[in-house]
Amino acid sequence: MEKEQFSKEMCERTLKFGASAATACAKLPDKTEAKIIGEMIVRCASLTGASYRAACKSTSGKDFLSRLEETERLSNEAKHLMEVLQLAGLEKEGLFNVLIKEAGTISSICASALKSTREKFSAYKDKNKKENLKAAV
């Protein structure tokens, strides 16, 4: 799959993740605890997509890595909060199961992209060091 197509699909995927989280949180019971955690989930899940979109529009390698790290962190945070809701018994049975899985998948995709991007940057730096050493000799 091409980079552009993959990026487009991930933007769409993270957008749907945020929207689905908002829909699920709207179904939470009318308890203060559920509302507070639900608002945090909506924030993290929607910002997951915003961060990924910003990563795609980044202008430097460092900026890309930083925004992709933020995307991974936010999806992990959303997953954690959904699991807290489940453990606290504040969600209807199974309401967040699919979203928890999706948050984990998004996080894994980001972690894999971070690893490969860092490896590419490292190889590029090593190549430039060798070329600079040869030029200096």
Side-chain angles (χ1 to χ4, degrees), residues 74-106:
L74 287 164
S75 62
N76 277 327
E77 190 174 330
K79 180 181 177 187
H80 172 77
L81 291 165
M82 291 175 204
E83 291 170 341
V84 167
L85 272 179
Q86 286 185 328
L87 288 173
L90 295 170
E91 62 123 11
K92 294 176 184 172
E93 213 165 300
L95 183 62
F96 287 94
N97 288 346
V98 171
L99 286 170
I100 288 170
K101 184 177 179 184
E102 180 66 0
T105 301
I106 290 169

Side-chain angles (χ1 to χ4, degrees), residues 5-130:
Q5 180 65 25
F6 176 80
S7 294
K8 184 178 179 182
E9 287 178 14
M10 271 298 285
C11 280
E12 186 67 28
R13 185 177 197 159
T14 56
L15 179 66
K16 286 180 182 176
F17 175 64
S20 297
T23 301
C25 288
K27 297 175 184 175
L28 288 171
D30 195 22
K31 292 184 176 181
T32 303
E33 300 86 352
K35 287 185 182 244
I36 291 169
I37 296 171
E39 287 174 6
M40 294 168 70
I41 290 169
V42 171
R43 180 187 59 81
C44 291
S46 59
L47 286 175
T48 296
S51 293
Y52 186 79
R53 188 174 290 182
C56 292
K57 295 179 185 258
S58 62
T59 56
S60 71
K62 276 187 173 182
D63 188 37
F64 175 78
L65 286 172
S66 174
R67 293 182 187 274
L68 199 57
E69 286 168 347
E70 182 181 7
T71 304
E72 180 188 23
R73 181 189 63 78
L74 287 164
S75 62
N76 277 327
E77 190 174 330
K79 180 181 177 187
H80 172 77
L81 291 165
M82 291 175 204
E83 291 170 341
V84 167
L85 272 179
Q86 286 185 328
L87 288 173
L90 295 170
E91 62 123 11
K92 294 176 184 172
E93 213 165 300
L95 183 62
F96 287 94
N97 288 346
V98 171
L99 286 170
I100 288 170
K101 184 177 179 184
E102 180 66 0
T105 301
I106 290 169
S107 180
S108 295
I109 290 168
C110 290
S112 177
L114 283 164
K115 182 181 177 191
S116 65
T117 302
R118 285 184 183 121
E119 287 172 355
K120 287 176 186 175
F121 285 157
S122 180
Y124 179 76
K125 286 179 184 177
D126 289 344
K127 181 182 174 189
N128 282 343
K129 283 181 186 176
K130 288 176 185 176

